[in-house]
Amino acid sequence: MKPYLIAEPALRRLELTITRRLDGLLQGEHLGLVPGPGSEPAESRAYQPGDDVRRMDWNVTARTNEPHVRDLVADRELEIWALLDATASMDFGTAAMEKRELALSALAAVGFLTQRTGNRIGTHLLHGGGVRTLPARTGRPHLMALLQAAFALPRTPPGVSEPLIGVAADQLGRVVRRRGLVVVVSDFLDAPETWELPLRRLTARHQVLAVEVLDPRELSLPDVGILTLIDPETGRRREVATGSARLRRRYAEAAAEQRDAIGQALRRAGATHLRLRTDRDWVRDLVRHVMRQRRLATLAASPAMPRAPGGPPSGPPSGPPSGGGDVA
């Protein structure tokens, strides 16, 4: 059975939790995968310490001689676009599933978590044949058809030239006009300088969730003697003597540096970072990420506590949570 079908009941229960109406100054009537302020003006209210001064309602302030801010309500109809990396580097896995299967599961999770009346989801499928675009539409039949199209993508033979994730992100930015949620699911193995700027352009207009998928063998090498390694994107072969402790240590250090560079590039781009592994319970990691973002949004929306005499101000920060939250 496909992983996204196995996890559907758990995701549906999670959907009921994270999309219920919230009180206070959060997202109004919609809470997404990446919490953030809305875009539609709501009613004015008296200013409280910690409120964003950029939301000052100067007309009401002038009439009442007291500072007022205008709350924002998120749009009820959310448009979600997903960029799914199905290139040859994703056809790898040594644990419970391949990275390609995990990426498809993440795409299904986005669809199940955001599926409600009026919401639309579309995808850009990046694979050896180029970029295939499926338009954003509503309804469960469309979501299942979208997942089936992603599942049916052919594997890319080794050595076939493939487009970069940064090129696909640029194309997505030109297609998506309406502000919404953009989810990029990839292993991000392309050089960060090729995709950091395109992601930054996306975050300037949309909420961006970057889902990084990886396999444990990409982090460390086991001692299995002579190991033949094949680059799935170039077809290059190389034999490695894994019995060398020095080689395994250097491999682990280089892998850690690579993942750290990916995380830093995603933070600089302003994207929220979710890391999923093929040897872990991806549903649990997704739940932890969503709930962590929800807690950060709650802390950011809470008014600051008064300053203690002779001490620094206490309470949560007044600004929005920064992107780049990581679930390892």
Side-chain angles (χ1 to χ4, degrees), residues 18-257:
I18 68 173
T19 59
R20 65 185 180 182
R21 182 167 181 160
L22 300 178
D23 296 327
L25 304 178
L26 295 182
Q27 277 68 329
E29 296 181 342
H30 189 90
L31 179 64
L33 283 172
V34 185
S39 58
E40 297 297 324
E43 297 181 355
S44 294
R45 60 171 176 80
Y47 173 85
Q48 297 179 0
D51 287 337
D52 190 345
V53 296
R54 293 173 296 182
R55 301 211 308 265
M56 293 292 296
D57 190 332
W58 297 110
N59 292 331
V60 177
T61 299
R63 289 197 304 266
T64 62
N65 289 326
E66 294 183 2
H68 278 70
V69 294
R70 185 172 291 275
D71 286 336
L72 296 177
V73 177
D75 298 333
R76 289 189 63 86
E77 181 181 343
L78 178 67
E79 184 167 289
I80 308 103
W81 280 90
L83 173 56
L84 178 67
D85 185 355
T87 56
S89 66
M90 301 290 286
D91 298 333
F92 176 75
T94 61
M97 61 180 75
E98 291 184 345
K99 293 193 296 180
R100 182 184 180 120
E101 294 178 88
L102 181 56
L104 181 60
S105 300
L107 175 61
V110 171
F112 293 138
L113 287 172
T114 57
Q115 186 185 37
R116 56 179 293 180
T117 303
N119 285 350
R120 303 192 300 169
I121 182 171
T123 59
H124 275 218
L125 304 176
L126 174 62
H127 58 103
V131 180
R132 178 183 176 187
T133 302
L134 300 178
R137 294 174 181 168
T138 62
R140 185 178 181 82
H142 168 68
L143 174 60
M144 299 310 296
L146 182 151
L147 294 175
Q148 182 59 36
F151 184 79
L153 285 176
R155 295 177 182 269
T156 305
V160 175
S161 178
E162 296 177 306
L164 299 176
I165 189 70
V167 174
D170 268 333
Q171 294 182 13
L172 180 61
R174 291 193 294 268
V175 169
V176 182
R177 298 298 181 184
R178 182 175 180 179
R179 293 180 183 271
L181 172 64
V182 174
V183 182
V184 182
V185 188
S186 175
D187 53 12
F188 295 99
L189 291 183
D190 295 339
E193 55 266 21
T194 64
W195 50 257
E196 181 180 342
L197 184 57
L199 279 189
R200 189 178 302 171
R201 295 194 189 103
L202 286 176
T203 58
R205 184 172 179 82
H206 310 279
Q207 292 180 331
V208 178
L209 171 63
V211 182
E212 178 193 1
V213 295
L214 70 155
D215 188 85
R217 290 288 74 82
E218 295 176 317
L219 302 177
S220 62
L221 276 179
D223 184 1
V224 292
I226 302 297
L227 183 65
T228 301
L229 303 178
I230 304 176
D231 187 335
E233 297 194 352
T234 64
R236 181 182 177 185
R237 293 172 176 263
R238 183 173 182 178
E239 291 189 348
V240 176
T242 60
S244 171
R246 180 173 178 269
L247 173 66
R248 296 197 303 272
R249 183 178 63 254
R250 290 177 57 193
Y251 180 93
E253 292 173 351
E257 291 177 0

